[in-house]
Amino acid sequence: MPAAGVPGREGARSTTGPMRLALTRRVSPSLAGCELTFRARTPIDAERAATQHEAYERALAQAGCHLLPLPAEPDLPDSVFVEDVALVLEEVAVILRPGAASRWPETLSVAHALAPYRDVAVIGEPGTLDGGDVLRVGRTLFVGATGRSNGAGIAQLRAVVAPLGYDVRAVPVTGCLHLKSAATLVAPDAVLINRLWVDAGYFAGLELLDVHAEEPDAANALLIGSALIYAASHPRTRGLLEARGIDVRAVDVSEMEKAEGAVTCCSIVFEAPSIAS
Ligand code: CIR
């Protein structure tokens, strides 16, 4: 179902300018059973995570997003990390095939939620692709070649989006889960980066801001308009961003971080027309 005030694609009424939507999914009570790759397992408090997630959703709303929250999935521990399941561009929603098989059942409900807003394409076997590996800069999609996203997945994505005018560039990543663990956009032409995990040369022509040396996990940030939603756990890097004049909105996502998540992974932000009256 489309959100109130947002027509489905079949909607016949006149529309005004676009509204910004954020698809989220409430925290699963089984979050502690999440996948972990580069992080040691420590106790996770799913109730605390849910409280933190509510504050994250409020930050999305304050940044101008209309929320589209999906209900929690008790049997899918990682399902709060909706970013990994779909890539939404202006022209198409690409339903991804996450690199962790435990996450495949997450896709159908997200596909249903996005279908009113976009044509839907699908990444299929043998491809794997996590949304955490896709960093969009204008019409370029940098895609992490990681344990989660393979060559077949990247090739399938290219086949879908190249005809739409997107340039898909594979980027090797080492030492972390996703490309967006290592590099994200913090202003329209500025990338926050941990150069230990990704070669800065891939982002030639863009301004590069380095994470603080004591905060290797600090490169993940969610830019919405001019607001930057950012984990409270990286105060030194936050100071560097604020000194650069960036409007940083800190949120405590410590329980999601124990599950190897961060701020980009808990939402899919996109635009859709809003109803005129
Ligand atoms: C996983 O390993 O799939 C989850 N525990 C964490 C996914 C985080 N996703 C993201 O940063 N895009």
Side-chain angles (χ1 to χ4, degrees):
M1 280 289 287
V6 181
R9 286 184 298 137
E10 75 285 358
R13 285 175 285 180
S14 63
T15 60
T16 59
M19 68 186 297
R20 190 172 276 141
L21 304 175
L23 181 74
T24 61
R25 175 147 37 207
R26 301 272 152 81
V27 174
S28 174
S30 64
L31 176 64
C34 63
E35 298 280 346
L36 288 173
T37 307
F38 290 91
R39 198 151 298 183
R41 196 169 294 276
T42 56
I44 296 176
D45 182 338
E47 279 185 27
R48 184 158 184 254
T51 302
Q52 292 177 348
H53 190 260
E54 286 168 15
Y56 171 83
E57 287 186 330
R58 282 197 296 279
L60 290 173
Q62 283 160 5
C65 294
H66 181 100
L67 292 174
L68 299 175
L70 297 176
E73 292 280 359
D75 298 327
L76 299 176
D78 282 309
S79 53
V80 65
F81 303 126
V82 286
E83 170 185 61
D84 293 320
V85 176
L87 171 68
V88 180
L89 304 171
E90 286 83 27
E91 304 85 352
V92 66
V94 185
I95 306 305
L96 305 173
R97 185 165 182 267
S102 66
R103 303 199 55 189
W104 292 345
E106 297 175 27
T107 57
L108 192 59
S109 53
V110 169
H112 279 303
L114 293 173
Y117 304 100
R118 296 289 193 275
D119 290 329
V120 170
V122 176
I123 301 295
E125 199 177 357
T128 63
L129 195 58
D130 277 14
D133 275 318
V134 183
L135 172 60
R136 179 179 179 179
V137 183
R139 303 298 285 186
T140 300
L141 302 181
F142 297 98
V143 185
T146 65
R148 293 293 178 89
S149 299
N150 65 18
I154 296 171
Q156 288 181 36
L157 177 66
R158 184 178 289 115
V160 171
V161 303
L164 302 171
Y166 291 90
D167 179 17
V168 172
R169 300 185 194 170
V171 178
V173 176
T174 52
C176 60
L177 186 62
H178 289 134
L179 173 60
K180 279 192 285 196
S181 318
T184 57
L185 216 53
V186 292
D189 52 3
V191 172
L192 179 63
I193 186 168
N194 178 342
R195 298 179 197 236
L196 297 177
W197 292 342
V198 65
D199 184 342
Y202 285 94
F203 307 111
L206 294 165
E207 177 186 350
L208 296 179
L209 302 171
D210 290 283
V211 296
H212 190 283
E214 291 171 30
E215 296 177 343
D217 292 319
N220 188 267
L222 176 60
L223 184 64
I224 301 177
S226 59
L228 192 73
I229 297 181
Y230 192 64
S233 52
H234 312 304
R236 297 176 185 86
T237 306
R238 177 184 173 183
L240 301 174
L241 295 167
E242 287 173 337
R244 159 72 170 66
I246 292 169
D247 174 13
V248 180
R249 317 273 178 95
V251 289
D252 181 359
V253 288
S254 60
E255 297 305 304
M256 268 75 84
E257 289 173 330
K258 293 178 193 170
E260 214 163 351
V263 290
T264 63
C265 53
C266 295
S267 58
I268 301 172
V269 178
F270 61 99
E271 292 188 347
S274 55
I275 295 172
S277 60

